[in-house]
């Protein structure tokens, strides 16, 4: 049996290709014979040659190009998406990123994609078979290669179709409010490094590897130095290292229609809303604003083919024909075909609970009512057996809740917006809720539906015995049968409570306010269900464990316990702020 990480990487690679697959032509299309140029060398401006498979209609004339740039392998030359595109009158190019596959150069994630993408565009436009128009497609990192080469691309870049795309390396995959996305960065980073040591590891071996300290030398877990893994730990703030591969501040330079496919449980769930809104906000062109579309389903880092995601079954409504959507999009922009693209809404979201699609004109929704649900207890909200409550009444004089956070025994990741070596998507959280270091606040059963759609945050008033620690929060939908299904969650490293670039340690025992971003969701809490919030200090291995020492990030080889207190009283009204849709 193939090792799990290799299976995952192959699935990841297959996703990138599957996301670009176009179904067979309609009866009105001319069907061409296809010729293939394998391992064509495309020269970059620095003299490096990148390899690509080029699929062309076997006919005279000029054709639009669909470009896919991937670090997961450009695929074969028999059948597949290349033949489907070319048979319908496109030139399809599948290219290995620098240092991957048959391409020359050194592979370093994020660093070369903007330049290499633009160089590839220029090469395409110079070819005799090019009609001067390019569209891009693909998922995940292949979505990143689209986004990063889009600014200032000019009118030749007619359309983008990124699926569950990475957009901002620092904020999307590396750090979330100061916490390092350990499973993603080290699991994925090791997988694409080319090192073979971890290929046979099972889940237990990966969990052991994630405990490697200090983090600055995490690559020792896979047998030797991988410089970019060390660089990621060495740069905990957004600085010049991350800026070289970043889109930040350049959204205004994108003048291309974009259709993005995202998922509520995808690692980039929050990012796709932020960046689509930023392009819409910054662009001066109304025609571009009209053609920025986001389709958000109940998916993880990949589109469900049967409606089943994690521990949930969202039904047949959650299944979409991605090929059809992409075909209509590219045919409209690259071939000028009359499709239904002009009628697409800015946002099409899947509302969980009701399990229905709904079109929206803006995000956040203009009709949102932000309602605080406050934490209450008699001083013992620890675990499901505790007395934590959640309601809209402001707290009076109530004792604080406390627990001990031990980084040697962190709360396990049981789903969520993850990718890598831990559970992903919606799962029952009961196991975590049985722990004494998890505070559980639960509402009464609802008598009416309550829709929560939008960004969610927790305002927490808390103190710690440490000079730095983490605070985690999770929104959960409790079914009448007791299953506690996670909707969204977040984390905040205490030293980053005020600034993302100027960390400041905390004073032990002092109460500070913390705003924890739980990202986004769309869910209807049905009658008989209950709303639940979990508060703790770890979510491992999705995030690295805060050692509670206050030392330089990545330097600690040892950890210490922290005694945590969460306050909910008149002066310190800890609560979750829910975006309720009337």
């Amino acid at each position: 049996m193939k090792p799990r990480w290799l299976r995952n990487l192959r699935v990841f690679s297959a996703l990138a290709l599957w996301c670009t697959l176009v179904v067979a032509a309609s009866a009105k299309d001319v069907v061409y014979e296809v010729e293939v140029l394998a391992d064509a060398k495309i020269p970059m401006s620095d003299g490096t040659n990148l390899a690509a498979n080029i699929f062309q209609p076997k006919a005279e004339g000029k054709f639009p190009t669909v470009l896919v740039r991937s670090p997961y392998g450009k695929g074969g030359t028999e059948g597949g998406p290349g033949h489907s595109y070319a048979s319908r009158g496109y030139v399809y190019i599948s290219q290995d990123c620098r240092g991957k596959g048959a391409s020359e150069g050194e592979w370093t994630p994020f660093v070369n994609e903007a330049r290499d993408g633009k160089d590839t565009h220029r090469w395409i436009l110079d070819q005799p078979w090019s009609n001067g128009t390019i569209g891009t497609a693909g998922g995940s990192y292949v979505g990143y290669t689209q986004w990063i080469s889009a600014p200032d691309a000019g009118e030749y870049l007619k359309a983008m179709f990124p699926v569950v795309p990475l957009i901002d390396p620092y904020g999307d995959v590396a750090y979330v409010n100061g916490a390092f996305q350990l499973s993603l960065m080290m699991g994925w980073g090791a997988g694409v490094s080319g090192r073979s040591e971890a290929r046979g590891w099972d889940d237990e071996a990966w969990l052991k590897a994630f405990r490697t300290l200090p983090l600055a030398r995490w690559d020792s877990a896979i047998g030797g130095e991988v410089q970019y893994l060390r660089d990621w730990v060495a740069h905990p703030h957004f600085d010049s290292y991350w800026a070289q591969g970043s889109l930040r501040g350049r959204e205004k330079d994108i003048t291309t229609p974009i259709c993005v496919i995202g998922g509520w449980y995808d690692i980039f769930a929050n990012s796709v809303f932020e960046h689509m809104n930023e392009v819409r906000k910054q662009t001066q062109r109304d025609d571009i604003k009209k053609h920025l579309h986001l389709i958000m389903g109940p998916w993880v880092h990949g589109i469900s083919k049967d409606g089943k995601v994690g521990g949930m079954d969202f039904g047949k409504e959650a299944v979409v024909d991605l090929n059809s959507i992409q075909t209509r999009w590219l045919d409209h922009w690259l071939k000028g075909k009359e499709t239904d693209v002009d009628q697409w809404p800015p946002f099409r979201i899947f509302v969980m609970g009701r399990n229905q699609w709904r079109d929206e004109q803006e995000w956040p929704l203009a009709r949102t009512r932000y309602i605080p649900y406050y934490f209450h207890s008699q001083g013992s909200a620890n675990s499901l057996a505790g007395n934590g409550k959640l309601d809209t009444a402001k707290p009076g004089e109530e004792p604080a809740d406390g627990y001990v956070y031990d980084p040697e025994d962190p709360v396990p990741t049981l789903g969520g917006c993850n990718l890598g070596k831990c559970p992903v998507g919606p799962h029952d959280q009961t196991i975590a809720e049985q722990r004494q270091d998890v505070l559980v606040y639960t509402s009464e059963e609802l008598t009416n539906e309550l829709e929560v759609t939008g960004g969610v945050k927790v305002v927490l008033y808390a103190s710690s015995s440490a000079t730095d620690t983490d605070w985690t929060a999770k929104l959960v939908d409790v079914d009448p049968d007791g299953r506690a299904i996670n909707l969204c969650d977040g984390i905040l490293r205490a030293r980053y409570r005020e600034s993302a670039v100027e960390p400041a340690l905390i004073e032990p025992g002092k109460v500070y306010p913390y705003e924890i971003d739980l990202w986004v969701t769309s869910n209807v809490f049905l009658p008989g269900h209950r709303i639940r919030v979990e508060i703790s200090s770890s979510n491992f291995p999705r995030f690295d464990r805060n050692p509670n020492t206050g030392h330089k990030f990545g330097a600690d080889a040892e950890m210490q316990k922290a005694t945590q207190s969460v306050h909910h009283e008149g002066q310190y009204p800890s609560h979750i702020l829910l975006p309720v849709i009337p």
Side-chain angles (χ1 to χ4, degrees), residues 180-204:
F180 187 62
Q181 294 208 85
L182 181 67
S183 176
L184 172 60
M185 292 303 280
M186 295 313 188
W188 175 78
V192 295
S193 69
R195 302 192 66 89
S196 61
E197 286 81 352
R199 289 182 179 175
W201 287 359
D202 57 15
D203 291 349
E204 184 176 346

Side-chain angles (χ1 to χ4, degrees), residues 275-438:
H275 286 90
M276 289 294 276
N277 273 349
E278 198 63 28
V279 175
R280 183 175 282 104
K281 175 183 175 182
Q282 292 195 25
T283 184
Q284 301 300 309
R285 292 178 48 175
D286 290 339
D287 59 328
I288 299 302
K289 291 181 181 180
K290 181 181 177 182
H291 293 297
L292 298 173
H293 308 283
L294 173 57
I295 301 172
M296 199 72 175
W299 309 308
V300 291
H301 198 59
I303 312 305
S304 172
K305 296 181 179 180
D306 58 6
K308 296 178 181 178
V309 182
M312 295 291 289
D313 186 345
F314 293 103
K316 63 181 182 180
E317 287 298 317
V319 180
V320 299
D321 189 344
L322 186 63
N323 295 330
S324 174
I325 297 170
Q326 179 174 295
T327 300
R328 283 138 58 197
W329 180 253
L330 293 179
D331 279 357
H332 177 86
W333 293 111
L334 295 182
K335 289 190 171 184
K337 285 191 174 183
E338 292 296 328
T339 65
D340 60 348
V341 167
D342 281 332
Q343 283 72 53
W344 290 5
F347 299 93
R348 189 157 200 252
I349 63 174
F350 187 91
V351 183
M352 297 179 290
R354 290 197 192 106
N355 294 345
Q356 295 176 346
W357 289 96
R358 192 171 70 212
D359 295 342
E360 297 290 352
Q361 298 301 310
E362 74 286 314
W363 186 272
L365 310 189
R367 62 189 183 278
T368 305
R369 296 173 57 201
Y370 292 95
I371 299 179
Y373 279 72
Y374 295 95
F375 305 167
H376 302 275
S377 81
Q378 297 304 311
S380 182
N382 311 73
S383 83
L384 283 174
N387 51 33
K389 303 295 182 183
L390 187 72
D391 61 36
T392 57
K394 289 186 177 181
E397 295 304 313
E398 300 178 5
D401 293 306
Y403 61 93
V404 174
Y405 159 47
D406 181 1
E408 295 290 355
D409 182 25
V411 178
T413 299
L414 297 177
C417 299
N418 311 318
L419 177 68
K421 320 305 174 185
C422 52
V424 300
H427 287 276
D428 189 354
Q429 303 299 301
T430 303
I431 293 176
E433 293 170 352
Q434 293 172 351
R435 295 173 57 107
Q436 289 297 305
D437 58 351
V438 176

Side-chain angles (χ1 to χ4, degrees), residues 89-124:
Y90 290 96
V91 174
Y92 174 91
I93 299 179
S94 179
Q95 183 186 62
D96 288 326
C97 288
R98 180 180 294 250
K100 302 298 289 184
S103 288
E104 299 172 356
E106 181 179 355
W107 161 250
T108 302
F110 317 126
V111 172
N112 299 296
E113 307 305 354
R115 178 185 61 186
D116 289 350
K118 289 291 180 58
D119 287 349
T120 302
H121 292 173
R122 284 189 283 268
W123 181 87
I124 290 170

Side-chain angles (χ1 to χ4, degrees), residues 551-574:
H551 296 159
K552 178 182 177 182
F553 177 67
D556 282 291
E558 296 181 357
M559 298 180 163
Q560 62 188 34
K561 297 179 182 180
T563 300
Q564 318 287 57
S565 295
V566 170
H567 299 260
H568 42 85
E569 56 185 274
Q571 184 181 359
Y572 302 123
S574 294

